[in-house]
Amino acid sequence: MQHFSFSPHGVCAVKIDFDIDDGTVKNIVFKGGCDGNHKAIARLAEGVPAKKVAELLKGNTCGFRNTSCADQLAIGINLALEQME
């Protein structure tokens, strides 16, 4: 299992921590932002293949922003997968 911390940009969350274990995402924790939405994202993504989570969440927007916490998680996961190669 590898642990990753990602500093998102353009959203309310200031940090996203997660693990990738055997290709699946686990233990997602957002710091700052919309607590209920972040808990929902974390529950839905728990145990799902990392590539699938990134595909599903990439490009999701929040209000007037061109990104969202979900989109930032996708970016963080993709960066983590690149580091693991």
Side-chain angles (χ1 to χ4, degrees):
M1 182 177 325
Q2 287 187 266
H3 180 77
F4 297 93
S5 289
F6 177 70
S7 297
H9 300 282
V11 296
C12 297
V14 294
K15 185 178 175 188
I16 306 171
D17 289 316
F18 59 93
D19 298 323
I20 297 181
D21 184 24
D22 198 26
T24 64
V25 179
K26 299 187 179 205
N27 307 315
I28 302 166
V29 177
F30 290 83
K31 174 96 172 159
C34 306
D35 187 53
N37 288 335
H38 294 155
K39 287 177 183 173
I41 292 167
R43 280 185 178 187
L44 291 169
E46 181 74 19
V48 177
K51 288 182 183 181
K52 182 70 172 175
V53 173
E55 283 176 18
L56 290 170
L57 299 180
K58 184 176 168 128
N60 188 53
T61 61
C62 180
F64 62 88
R65 295 176 178 101
N66 63 358
T67 190
S68 67
C69 290
D71 182 52
Q72 291 294 300
L73 175 59
I75 292 168
I77 289 171
N78 281 330
L79 289 171
L81 291 171
E82 287 176 14
Q83 289 177 17
M84 293 175 70
E85 290 179 351

